[in-house]
Amino acid sequence: MMAAAAVEVAAERQLELLREEREAELAESRAWQENVSLKELQRRGVCLLKLQATNQRTGLYGRLLVTFQPRKYDSDAELPYNSFGPGDILGLYDSVGQGDPLSTGIVTRVTSKAVTVAFEESRDGMLSLDRESSYRLLKLANDVTYNRLKKALNALKQYRGGPASGLIDVLFFSSDPTSFSETKPLKFYNDLLDTSQREAVSFSLAQRELAIVHGPPGTGKTTTIVEIILQAVQQGLKVLCCAPSNIAVDNLVERLAGYKAHILRLGHPARLLEPIQRHSLDAVLAHSDSAQIVADIRKDIDQAFAKSRKAQDKGERSHFLTEIKALKKELKQREETAMTAALTRASVVLATNTGASSDGPLKLLPEDHFDLVVIDECAQAVEASCWIPLLKAPKCVLAGDHKQLPPTIISHKAAASGLSLSLMERLIERYGEKIVKMLTVQYRMHEAIMQWASSEMYSGRLTAHPSVAQHLLKDLPGVASTEETTIPLLLIDTAGCGLLELEVEDEQSKGNPGEVQLAGLHIQALVEAGVKARDIAVVAPYNLQVDMLREHLCHRYPELEIKSVDGFQGREKEAVVLSFVRSNRKGKPAVKTGVDGATEEDIDALISAAIKADNTCGFPRCKASVTTLGQLCPHCNRRYCLSHHVPEVHGCGEKAKAHARQRISREGVLYPGSSSKDKSLDPAKRAHLQRRLDKKLSELTSQRKSKKKDKEK
């Protein structure tokens, strides 16, 4: 009973934090959507305007799939930049309509020219779209993910006697993890595994409830996970393999596809990398025995739907709607039978954490179907999302690196209260080395790049494999030896260079145009030296900077990959250019960082240096104290002595002049030394007055003409 009480308290606490996070998410969404124009929402990538419905058809479970394209006569017209992706929740609106959406749907596919959305139903129960009408799509807060997390935590609170009972006891510390007393020697599928990888595989299979594989960057974590899955299948186990993102799941599917294991990927095929779409549930169903019957029923639904739209008589329309309802019921039964067969036949089922929900196809399997749950990139997932798959098996293997990015949390309060603490990190804090095997040989980077991270975060345990330890860009085929290609790690300090970040009101993200130019010059030097653009990545921590980099570089280097930090995580390139973006006069950093790696002496020294700098004149090489006599410059926020406080003396002359001009223009008061006041009208006001004048003149002209005609009569 004590264990059940502890689980209930922990689950309830997670539910509270999730509610806090949800409120923060909704508040942030409202704050910038309600006060921003539709055109600005489109510029920010969350809205698409002036769309037409070019295709409608029936999809899985009888959902209505609608494809939208720009309303242009040119068939090659492309959608504007947008952040839409498979799984996003969208609202569908008339172009002129306000208020509630006509319907809400889920994005299933996005290309450069079209977006396809799956609709369940509309407000009146049947969505009917006109090809000639104009529509808009707006991204909405994603209720699906939140509801699935909430459902998983409520299931955890009430969990009694199912397959995951023993695992839950271990994960909430009411019993210790155990191992099997006897294990057979393994015959590895991959002969190239290093010693630490082999140990991790053997350890994971020998544990009875829980094993953690800690894989720092480039240490072959995915390679190790694939081997664990193959060995488990060899032992006759059914495996559910998950990760928080689609790209991480696809990576595992791609690697497993090279072996003979029977794998099945849940999720819409549009989300998958092209080479592995044949492993998707949709593709498997398309080749099943009942595929033709299912296709015929869908065709019948589409035909009945088309007839119902043309029907003039209300009774006739009702007849077609009844027929559609019956056809959808039959379609669902046949699809579920085919899905159950496909799921049962698979040795490994792969999905995102939330995609493993019992709301989806997995509801068709018995409770005790799976023997092992594997969660990759576990350190990036909120704990609640891990409980969706974890409740389905008696054992789990968690893999990731808790020294890298934690889960993304919007609410500072929820993060500080524990929502940003991943399940993996929580377990390592409690059990330590008893449950963890760390991979220690990295195959990705030069040892100079690796060294700092190894000593600061991994206790100096990492070693660079000989194939990469001294590898430089100049060693690549066709690359010349230049300054840029012979240095493994180059740090460019832009402090004091005037490369300040943009200060844009209402902008949620950050950008730095100076760094964009600097990154462009460095990429140009690399390409001119012979490095291929497709072998270079540009990474930034802010979406606005990513957009600015793409705008500046993509037309010149189409194969260049430009992504956010979390979007690029786990990927590899020969050269990576990292733009940190933040640079302002307040010295405000990108993120708040801890000081765990610094000694007390270092911190004291930093504090002393900061106090000393605050009490000294900000003019270069001036040592005068400004503690009692000094003046703060409003333009650069630095304190200067009486000899250097004048803006023209310390370098803020131009800013002072600009400020004075703005003040004169605003207040209409002239100050000594200022020029005459600019009395010209604001362009918008001038245009408005001109229109009024033209209208008045037109009216007077009409009056004169009518008077003239009256006289002539």
Side-chain angles (χ1 to χ4, degrees), residues 143-203:
D143 284 322
V144 175
T145 299
Y146 172 68
N147 289 335
R148 286 181 177 179
L149 297 181
K150 195 166 68 170
K151 187 177 177 182
L153 289 172
N154 282 322
L156 175 63
K157 275 172 66 177
Q158 298 154 14
Y159 199 90
R160 302 287 185 275
S165 297
L167 176 61
I168 291 170
D169 288 344
V170 170
L171 299 190
F172 284 100
F173 316 139
S174 62
S175 63
D176 287 332
T178 58
S179 58
F180 295 107
S181 53
E182 290 183 17
T183 54
K184 294 179 182 177
L186 300 177
K187 184 177 185 298
F188 292 100
Y189 285 83
N190 187 343
D191 295 329
L192 301 176
L193 295 180
D194 63 49
T195 304
S196 68
Q197 291 170 337
R198 287 171 182 251
E199 286 177 0
V201 173
S202 299
F203 175 76

Side-chain angles (χ1 to χ4, degrees), residues 56-75:
Q56 300 180 46
R57 64 192 186 282
T58 303
L60 194 65
Y61 279 151
R63 294 185 183 95
L64 179 64
L65 297 179
V66 183
T67 300
F68 295 92
Q69 289 181 268
R71 278 197 66 79
K72 291 182 180 176
Y73 297 107
D74 178 8
S75 61

